[in-house]
């Protein structure tokens, strides 16, 4: 059963308006998927059912990290490309794992560490078998094999991913932003990789930042941000934040551990 949780951001100053979207718009925002095709399918079903009676504009935002760790990275991208949810405007953001894959294709020796934090699972999903720890001379061969096996449509998908999206009072990014730096001046590295400098800050950003990347057991509701990476690849809980007007609620998959 899905978990429906209606929440409001606490700590708003009396003179501050509640964060909102324009009338007639609804946003669904999905956290880090990490190769869990089963959970993405479940969550798509929940979203479609939830949105069935909404007549306004519907946007579906993915916060990145579609690949690695779970067992079906390639299949997740196949689904997003071949069977997007009908009636939604999709927005696909770039995660640090997709950026690292792109970096591996360019400079495999420089980013060999990718294989230790999820890259092996992604390679396997594309049919690239890795039976031992690769030496430096093996990395370029792995890259070549991945390039050969990866559909061109997947590579184009990864290259087109956006770094940031704004809607109403909200800003959507993968990891977060550098506090005190205007949105238009944010560094790509921070948008994809920042953690404690962002999650530990109480600075108001001029918007509510919706992000993934930093795993928490439950949705992390803060006055200046909302974190929705609930560690789907090992918890079985893939989270979708639903925003409409000033309302904020959550759809989640059930808790079934392990990837497929």
């Amino acid at each position: 059963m899905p978990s429906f949780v209606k929440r409001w951001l606490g700590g708003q100053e009396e003179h501050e308006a509640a964060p909102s979207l324009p009338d007639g718009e609804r946003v669904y925002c999905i956290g880090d998927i990490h190769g869990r095709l089963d959970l993405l399918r479940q969550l798509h079903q929940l979203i479609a059912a939830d949105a069935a009676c909404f007549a306004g504009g519907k946007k579906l935002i993915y916060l990145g990290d579609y690949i690695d760790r779970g067992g079906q990275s390639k299949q997740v991208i196949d689904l997003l490309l071949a069977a997007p949810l009908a009636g939604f405007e999709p927005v696909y953001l770039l995660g640090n794992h997709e950026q690292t894959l792109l970096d591996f294709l360019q400079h495999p020796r420089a980013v060999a560490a990718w294989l230790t934090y999820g890259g092996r699972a992604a390679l396997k999903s594309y049919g690239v078998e890795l039976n031992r720890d690769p030496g430096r001379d093996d990395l370029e061969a792995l890259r070549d094999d991945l390039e050969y096996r990866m559909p061109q449509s997947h590579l184009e998908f990864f290259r087109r991913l956006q770094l940031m999206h704004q809607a109403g009072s909200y800003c959507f990014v993968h990891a977060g932003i550098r506090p005190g730096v205007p949105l238009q001046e944010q560094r790509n590295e921070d948008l994809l990789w920042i953690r404690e400098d962002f999650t530990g800050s109480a600075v108001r950003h001029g918007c509510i930042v919706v992000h993934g990347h930093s795993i928490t057991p439950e949705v992390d509701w803060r006055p200046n941000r909302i974190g929705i990476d609930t560690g789907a690849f090992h918890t079985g809980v893939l989270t979708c934040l639903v925003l409409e007007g000033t309302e904020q609620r959550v759809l989640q998959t059930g808790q079934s551990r392990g990837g497929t």
Side-chain angles (χ1 to χ4, degrees):
M1 294 291 292
S3 171
F4 297 91
V5 185
K6 188 177 293 187
R7 297 293 297 266
W8 297 85
L9 285 176
Q12 293 289 333
E13 299 293 339
E14 291 186 2
H15 64 274
E16 291 183 357
S20 65
L21 292 176
D23 292 342
E25 295 184 14
R26 185 185 289 181
V27 165
Y28 293 83
C29 182
I30 297 178
D32 303 36
I33 300 163
H34 277 306
R36 288 297 302 262
L37 177 67
D38 56 336
L39 300 181
L40 180 58
R41 283 176 168 163
Q42 291 176 33
L43 195 55
H44 274 184
Q45 292 175 353
L46 296 177
I47 292 169
D50 185 80
C53 295
F54 182 72
K58 295 173 290 189
K59 190 172 291 186
L60 182 52
I61 301 173
Y62 300 83
L63 291 180
D65 280 7
Y66 314 93
I67 64 169
D68 296 352
R69 294 179 172 161
Q72 295 188 298
S73 294
K74 174 185 182 296
Q75 292 78 8
V76 165
I77 307 304
D78 283 338
L79 179 68
L80 294 177
L81 291 174
L85 278 183
F88 292 81
E89 176 190 346
V91 176
Y92 302 109
L93 298 186
L94 177 68
N96 61 300
H97 283 257
E98 289 78 47
Q99 183 60 61
T100 305
L101 180 149
L102 291 171
D103 292 342
F104 181 81
L105 291 173
Q106 292 292 317
H107 308 288
R109 293 187 179 185
V111 290
W114 173 55
L115 302 178
T116 69
Y117 59 87
R120 286 174 178 264
L123 288 171
K124 186 175 181 180
S125 76
Y126 281 99
V128 180
E129 293 294 336
L130 187 58
N131 298 318
R132 60 184 177 86
D133 291 335
R136 285 179 58 84
D137 293 339
D138 301 321
L139 292 169
E140 291 187 2
L142 281 174
R143 185 271 313 278
D144 293 344
D145 198 6
L146 178 60
E147 282 188 328
Y148 174 75
R149 295 175 183 272
M150 180 182 289
Q152 184 64 27
S153 60
H154 286 214
L155 183 58
E156 292 173 356
F157 174 82
F158 294 134
R159 288 173 171 169
R160 291 197 307 264
L161 295 173
Q162 303 175 38
L163 284 163
M164 181 186 300
H165 183 79
Q166 292 178 263
S169 304
Y170 298 92
C171 174
F172 303 85
V173 296
H174 174 65
I177 65 173
R178 177 67 57 181
V181 177
L183 292 180
Q184 64 273 19
E185 298 177 15
Q186 292 287 327
R187 299 169 60 235
N188 293 2
E189 181 179 356
D190 285 331
L191 298 175
L192 297 176
W193 290 94
I194 197 169
R195 290 196 192 273
E196 289 80 6
D197 287 349
F198 167 67
T199 59
S201 173
V203 170
R204 299 301 177 97
H205 307 301
C207 60
I208 301 300
V209 179
V210 180
H211 67 97
H213 188 60
S214 295
I215 297 174
T216 51
E218 299 178 351
V219 174
D220 194 5
W221 304 92
R222 301 297 175 108
N224 60 350
R225 63 179 182 86
I226 306 173
I228 64 169
D229 182 0
T230 45
F233 70 95
H234 67 84
T235 66
V237 180
L238 181 60
T239 296
C240 175
L241 177 66
V242 186
L243 304 171
E244 181 184 352
T246 57
E247 183 182 33
Q248 303 162 345
R249 54 191 175 89
V250 166
L251 302 174
Q252 289 180 318
T253 61
Q255 299 185 21
S256 65
R257 294 185 177 273
T260 58

